[in-house]
Amino acid sequence: MTDKKPERREFLFTASYVAGAVGVAAAVWPLVDQMNPDASVKALASTEVDISSVKPGNTITVLWRGKPVFIRRRTQEEISEAKSVKMEDLKHPEKDEDRAKDPEWLVMLGVCTHLGCVPLNDKGDYKGWFCPCHGSHYDTSGRIRKGPAPLNMEIPKYEFVDASTIKIG
Amino acid sequence: MSDHEYTPKSKVGKWFNDRLPILTLANHLTDYPTPKNLNYWWTFGGILTFCLITQIITGLTLAMHYIAHADMAFESVEKIMRDVNYGWLIRYIHANGASMFFLAVYIHIFRSLFYGSYKSPREIIWIIGIIIYLLMMASAFMGYVLPWGQMSFWGATVITNLFSAIPLVGEGIVTWLWGGYSVDNPTLTRFFTLHYLIPFLILGLVVLHIWALHVPGNNNPVGIDIKKPSKDTVPFHPYIVIKDAFALLMFMIVFAFFVFYAPNILGHADNYIEANPMVTPAHIVPEWYLLPFYAILRSIPDKLLGVLAMLFAIIILALLPWLDTSKIRSAVFRPLYKQFYWILLADVLILGYVGAMPAEGLYLLIARIATFYYFLHFLVILPVLGFKEKTLPIPLSITDPVLGGSPNLAIAKNRDSFDN
């Protein structure tokens, strides 16, 4: 009997700690989750862009989810250059066909994958984009070729609504 | 903590003190025995307290006019500068106050490094200090975001994106920090909240820092343990109070120079352009006090490793009491350590300089060498030095070498030549 009592007590202590910890975790979760994107931010998830006035070789930048999206109408030269790159030369190998549904139109997030700066158009060693913050070079398909960025610039979900409209998101 | 029991003289005082011994605390603080050989490098604790109080008071008054909203923040800061009575003065004190705070904290840290103030039995004081330093950096960074200028916005973008280097959960953490898919209004409001909170956390830690200090008492330039109270000590009030006050006045001259004659010299012109998520400024630099760590981040070509190296560069300081294996505290009696100390100081200044320059060519090479040396100092040189170094004999008390008549007189005489 005398041996059993402390065991009972220890079990009660442990059970109380566990119940307490679960209760605290349940109370903390809403306080943590309130910092995630709210319903209104999520509601702005898509945007439609008129591309009829974009000439070959030009890029327009639109804001989607607070981030710039580059929409570039590529020239034939740029397309053939993007397609001719060997996969072995790429840090993050992706075919140009997989990045541009219609080879003439490259739609991608204008956000450097290093630390989130906006790269500059028609700059850098690969005639694509150059990020001024920490010196990442991207090619005409927006793929990382040189510098600290680990990945190619991201392609968002988008579709051609008609010949002159792209819906992003 | 005092060595003697304190009893208030008045009846009311005694009645009160029996119920809340705050007079005992006040008596402890005034009588607190302090080594009498403390030099002016020891006045920065008081200066830092002044900086913290200044930041809290100017911050509270700025918060009465500032509007934490992405559409209004920039304008409200301009309104503070142009329309609010003395708004320009309060904001310039607050903005330059951050720089002065860091200037003082760097002197305070390097004082500890020189005189070995982080060593046993003062490790906890040191670690609390490093936590305060980390909180200062977090608060300063978030404060810099509040005016919602171009540097605010892109600084916030780059720094929060550091977390995206974490494998798997990184992107989720960044979205959570932002409260959206980019730095935007939710980011601004939470940064304002935290920027407001952290100084009070620092204030609490400062109390612990001083409490932990008052257990073993101050280290001193000779770095030996002293008897307290004794011929080697003086009461904090009035001796140290007046010395601290004089040093504070000198410091305030420097402070006032920046506020009144060069209020924007430490800032960046691009921050007077309102935040624009479509355009990144050509050259992003953090505030000067973060530059050495920024240089370490950029010197490593891998994203995750760069972020880890930067964090480790700060965390390594907390481990210093165990990395430095020498039993001798003061660099005065450590001829080799003293040289490495100055090399480290130069190394950190070089890192700061290349951190402000573009990360390419020669600058990048220098940054890499300096980063390598920074870690070499803490991880190899300090641990080995404790075993290899032949230290000078230390005096028995801080009075002995001055009064003479002891074998340590020679050291007292030689000390001047070591200092040069």
Side-chain angles (χ1 to χ4, degrees):
Chain A
M1 269 311 272
T2 46
D3 285 344
K4 270 193 175 174
K5 265 189 180 171
E7 271 177 37
R8 263 169 63 103
R9 181 163 291 182
E10 241 157 57
F11 173 77
L12 281 173
F13 276 148
T14 312
S16 308
Y17 292 146
V18 170
V22 169
V24 167
V28 163
W29 177 244
L31 300 175
V32 172
D33 192 42
Q34 56 82 24
M35 282 175 69
N36 272 317
D38 66 21
S40 73
V41 172
K42 285 180 185 161
L44 293 172
S46 75
T47 184
E48 290 196 4
V49 188
D50 178 16
I51 52 166
S52 54
S53 60
V54 185
K55 293 190 179 72
N58 280 4
T59 304
I60 58 165
T61 310
V62 295
L63 212 56
W64 172 67
R65 287 174 155 191
K67 282 177 177 165
V69 173
F70 294 152
I71 302 177
R72 183 170 181 88
R73 189 166 179 182
R74 298 189 296 183
T75 59
Q76 275 311 318
E77 201 182 317
E78 287 168 347
I79 296 168
S80 51
E81 195 167 317
K83 292 197 174 189
S84 64
V85 177
K86 284 184 209 141
M87 286 297 117
E88 305 92 84
D89 297 342
L90 295 173
K91 190 172 178 181
H92 175 195
E94 271 185 321
K95 282 191 189 137
D96 188 58
E97 291 81 7
D98 299 336
R99 292 180 57 79
K101 289 177 199 170
D102 174 350
E104 199 177 6
W105 294 96
L106 179 64
V107 180
M108 68 181 177
L109 282 186
V111 175
C112 180
T113 57
H114 182 227
L115 293 173
C117 297
V118 179
L120 303 168
N121 284 320
D122 302 317
K123 291 259 165 63
D125 297 354
Y126 296 87
K127 295 175 199 158
W129 285 266
F130 172 70
C131 182
C133 292
H134 306 94
S136 292
H137 298 254
Y138 295 89
D139 66 14
T140 56
S141 186
R143 292 172 297 202
I144 180 67
R145 301 300 291 274
K146 197 173 134 185
L151 299 171
N152 302 336
M153 278 193 265
E154 196 184 327
I155 305 291
K157 214 180 99 192
Y158 69 92
E159 59 188 59
F160 290 90
V161 179
D162 53 52
S164 63
T165 312
I166 292 179
K167 184 181 162 203
I168 306 167
Chain B
M1 281 180 279
S2 273
D3 293 298
H4 61 282
E5 279 296 312
Y6 168 75
T7 341
K9 286 192 184 82
S10 75
K11 244 186 172 167
V12 180
K14 193 176 177 311
W15 179 87
F16 189 89
N17 204 48
D18 285 344
R19 283 151 184 83
L20 180 68
I22 208 159
L23 293 171
T24 304
L25 178 65
N27 174 258
H28 161 78
L29 293 174
T30 48
D31 281 3
Y32 172 65
T34 319
K36 65 183 181 186
N37 60 342
L38 294 191
N39 57 34
Y40 273 105
W41 301 115
W42 260 266
T43 59
F44 282 86
I47 287 169
L48 283 161
T49 312
F50 166 81
C51 288
L52 178 62
I53 301 299
T54 304
Q55 290 306 87
I56 289 177
I57 291 170
T58 52
L60 285 173
T61 46
L62 285 171
M64 293 178 187
H65 304 280
Y66 172 76
I67 304 166
H69 189 284
D71 296 336
M72 289 178 268
F74 187 80
E75 215 173 302
S76 75
V77 172
E78 283 310 300
K79 190 176 150 59
I80 288 169
M81 294 302 289
R82 292 151 197 253
D83 297 345
V84 175
N85 301 330
Y86 293 105
W88 61 272
L89 177 66
I90 300 171
R91 176 164 177 260
Y92 277 155
I93 291 175
H94 195 73
N96 286 285
S99 281
M100 292 300 112
F101 205 159
F102 276 96
L103 175 68
V105 93
Y106 282 128
I107 294 173
H108 196 59
I109 289 171
F110 273 94
R111 191 286 320 272
S112 295
L113 293 183
F114 189 85
Y115 294 111
S117 301
Y118 48 84
K119 291 185 193 183
S120 174
R122 297 184 180 81
E123 301 95 321
I124 298 293
I125 313 173
W126 172 256
I127 290 170
I128 292 171
I130 296 299
I131 297 170
I132 292 173
Y133 173 52
L134 276 170
L135 286 177
M136 278 174 65
M137 289 198 278
S139 191
F141 158 65
M142 287 191 269
Y144 195 61
V145 174
L146 302 185
W148 212 239
Q150 272 291 67
M151 277 293 160
S152 301
F153 184 90
W154 292 101
T157 300
V158 168
I159 299 296
T160 48
N161 260 309
L162 294 177
F163 292 91
S164 71
I166 304 167
L168 302 175
V169 292
E171 292 295 335
I173 289 176
V174 173
T175 304
W176 177 72
L177 288 172
W178 286 342
Y181 303 106
S182 63
V183 173
D184 210 332
N185 196 51
T187 326
L188 178 60
T189 49
R190 67 191 54 178
F191 275 22
F192 180 56
T193 309
L194 295 172
H195 181 69
Y196 207 122
L197 166 73
I198 290 175
F200 295 98
L201 296 181
I202 294 177
L203 190 61
L205 284 166
V206 166
V207 171
L208 294 183
H209 195 60
I210 295 171
W211 185 2
L213 168 70
H214 280 228
V215 176
N218 289 71
N219 183 29
N220 65 79
V222 179
I224 55 169
D225 291 323
I226 52 167
K227 273 197 208 120
K228 294 175 299 268
S230 72
K231 277 196 294 182
D232 284 345
T233 67
V234 289
F236 187 78
H237 184 75
Y239 296 95
I240 302 298
V241 169
I242 197 69
K243 187 165 183 162
D244 277 0
F246 179 71
L248 180 59
L249 279 174
M250 294 296 114
F251 185 79
M252 283 162 81
I253 292 173
V254 178
F255 199 142
F257 168 80
F258 281 107
V259 170
F260 293 106
Y261 294 97
N264 288 309
I265 202 166
L266 298 169
H268 199 294
D270 278 8
N271 222 28
Y272 283 101
I273 303 168
E274 192 168 1
N276 179 359
M278 306 278 263
V279 182
T280 306
H283 186 45
I284 292 192
V285 275
E287 292 280 81
W288 68 268
Y289 39 80
L290 302 176
L291 286 173
F293 300 110
Y294 192 60
I296 291 174
L297 166 77
R298 296 194 307 180
S299 71
I300 292 169
D302 183 85
K303 182 171 164 179
L304 178 61
L305 289 179
V307 173
L308 288 177
M310 183 180 71
L311 291 177
F312 193 55
I314 304 168
I315 292 166
I316 208 170
L317 293 172
L319 305 173
L320 191 55
W322 297 277
L323 290 172
D324 185 347
T325 49
S326 175
K327 293 272 181 286
I328 306 295
R329 291 196 193 102
S330 176
V332 171
F333 305 104
R334 298 184 62 190
L336 284 176
Y337 173 73
K338 192 192 266 181
Q339 293 174 33
F340 286 115
Y341 170 87
W342 292 113
I343 296 171
L344 177 74
L345 181 62
D347 187 66
V348 171
L349 292 175
I350 289 167
L351 279 173
Y353 174 73
V354 292
M357 295 294 133
E360 57 199 25
L362 187 63
Y363 293 125
L364 191 58
L365 180 70
I366 294 171
R368 283 182 178 156
I369 296 169
T371 297
F372 177 76
Y373 184 81
Y374 181 90
F375 289 109
L376 187 79
H377 176 91
F378 289 108
L379 293 176
V380 179
I381 295 175
L382 280 190
V384 172
L385 208 57
F387 298 107
K388 298 281 178 198
E389 186 177 32
K390 197 166 153 29
T391 55
L392 304 174
I394 53 170
L396 297 171
S397 80
I398 58 177
T399 320
D400 272 355
V402 183
L403 294 180
S406 88
N408 296 301
L409 181 61
I411 291 153
K413 279 184 177 167
N414 284 338
R415 254 189 65 192
D416 288 359
S417 56
F418 292 138
D419 281 343
N420 290 333

